[in-house]
Amino acid sequence: MVTFEVALTDRIESDIDRLIEQGDFLNRDQAIEKLLSLGVSAQKTGDESSEELAENLFTQAVDDQQDPADQDNDSL
């Protein structure tokens, strides 16, 4: 495992400490490793560009919406 030193703003340090206090992480090392991993994973877009991903997410969100007035027509 590679180790390195990183400078964080006071706000980020406070946020990490809050996550640890809430029980989301056991310690700073675990929190920073997991949060960095999530950030790196979010940047990996594969074959699609960020714009294409954003468009797909928007389209999916719109497609998933349901009209509350149409709930009587749902077949259960």
Side-chain angles (χ1 to χ4, degrees), residues 1-73:
M1 181 178 288
V2 177
T3 59
F4 60 94
E5 189 173 322
V6 63
L8 302 173
T9 64
D10 291 339
R11 184 187 61 79
I12 292 174
E13 180 184 23
S14 295
D15 289 346
I16 290 172
D17 288 342
R18 182 179 43 79
L19 291 170
I20 294 167
E21 289 172 8
Q22 291 176 349
D24 294 331
F25 301 102
L26 295 176
N27 54 47
R28 278 188 180 184
D29 287 343
Q30 182 191 46
I32 292 169
E33 181 179 353
K34 181 64 175 180
L35 294 169
L36 283 172
S37 294
L38 290 170
V40 169
S41 294
Q43 293 299 314
K44 293 181 181 177
T45 59
D47 294 336
E48 294 183 301
S49 71
S50 296
E51 289 180 15
E52 289 172 330
L53 285 174
E55 177 64 27
N56 290 343
L57 290 174
F58 175 77
T59 302
Q60 180 181 353
V62 171
D63 291 345
D64 290 346
Q65 291 180 356
Q66 296 178 356
D67 183 358
D70 195 33
Q71 65 185 354
D72 294 334
N73 294 332

